[in-house]
Amino acid sequence: YKEILENKEQLKEWENLFNVKVKTVKDIKEQPTLTLDTKFFREKDGSNSFKDKIIGAIDNLDERLNGVLINSENYQALDFLQARFKNSIKAIYIDPPYNTGGDEGFLYKDNFKHSSWLSLMENRLLLAKNLLSKNGTFGISIDINELHGCIKLMNNHFGNNNEKAI
């Protein structure tokens, strides 16, 4: 708590975002839902040992979490989730690149060759399918550019009797 109280950037962020002024340990404990941003606690060498200390101080972390937020490229995120969430996800919704060829205005590549797009999707579908529960639902948002290939890919993995268009 001392390290948190000494971090002026964190205290300022709490005041700006949540209108909460923290001056004592008691103030912190009275606000158990305050978001602690570990970017304010990086070491001079760029490491984040403070984050490790925080995580290590929480007993039964997995049981206490009610959600998971992962900031990652989608393949690595799906791979990371395999051990903990295999066959347990009730619904998966993806919004892959439509492959329109117009990269302008997008934060991601949107001009793959059809075969490359299918390969990208195949790898991610295999990982995602492993996460899906037996009665789970898988949805994809796609346009006409890759619709035909997407349907074939989905039918290969989920069977053509599972297709429903909305």
Side-chain angles (χ1 to χ4, degrees):
Y1 289 106
K2 180 179 181 242
E3 199 170 345
I4 295 169
L5 287 173
E6 291 173 353
N7 192 303
K8 302 300 180 205
E9 291 174 304
Q10 179 64 76
L11 300 180
K12 185 177 179 181
E13 182 175 81
W14 284 339
E15 190 172 342
N16 290 339
L17 291 177
F18 308 116
N19 199 29
V20 173
K21 290 185 181 184
V22 173
K23 295 182 181 182
T24 66
V25 171
K26 182 181 177 205
D27 293 340
I28 295 173
K29 289 183 177 183
E30 287 176 351
Q31 301 287 336
T33 59
L34 280 177
T35 305
L36 186 65
D37 195 334
T38 57
K39 75 179 176 188
F40 297 128
F41 297 89
R42 295 200 185 190
E43 303 296 327
K44 288 181 177 37
D45 66 359
S47 68
N48 209 345
S49 62
F50 179 78
K51 179 172 70 174
D52 296 334
K53 284 192 268 186
I54 292 293
I55 291 172
I58 302 171
D59 293 329
N60 302 316
L61 180 62
D62 281 343
E63 291 79 24
R64 295 181 72 183
L65 291 176
N66 64 359
V68 177
L69 174 65
I70 297 173
N71 183 8
S72 172
E73 190 278 328
N74 55 32
Y75 184 86
Q76 280 80 21
L78 289 166
D79 192 41
F80 173 77
L81 295 170
Q82 294 298 309
R84 177 147 187 242
F85 294 105
K86 189 171 185 161
N87 299 320
S88 66
I89 304 292
K90 294 177 184 175
I92 296 174
Y93 171 80
I94 63 171
D95 187 13
Y98 286 12
N99 216 21
T100 62
D103 283 348
E104 294 180 32
F106 290 109
L107 297 175
Y108 52 84
K109 186 174 178 176
D110 193 40
N111 64 349
F112 294 94
K113 290 182 179 179
H114 292 293
S115 60
S116 297
W117 186 90
L118 284 169
S119 179
L120 172 126
M121 291 301 295
E122 173 93 25
N123 295 332
R124 284 145 182 83
L125 274 178
L126 288 171
L127 289 173
K129 184 179 177 188
N130 288 335
L131 297 172
L132 202 58
S133 67
K134 183 178 178 183
N135 296 321
T137 300
F138 194 105
I140 296 180
S141 177
I142 198 70
D143 77 351
I144 196 69
N145 289 297
E146 294 295 348
L147 179 62
H148 184 70
C150 185
I151 289 171
K152 284 185 173 185
L153 199 58
M154 293 298 290
N155 285 345
N156 282 343
H157 292 288
F158 295 101
N160 57 5
N161 61 335
N162 290 303
E163 182 181 329
K164 296 224 184 333
I166 297 176

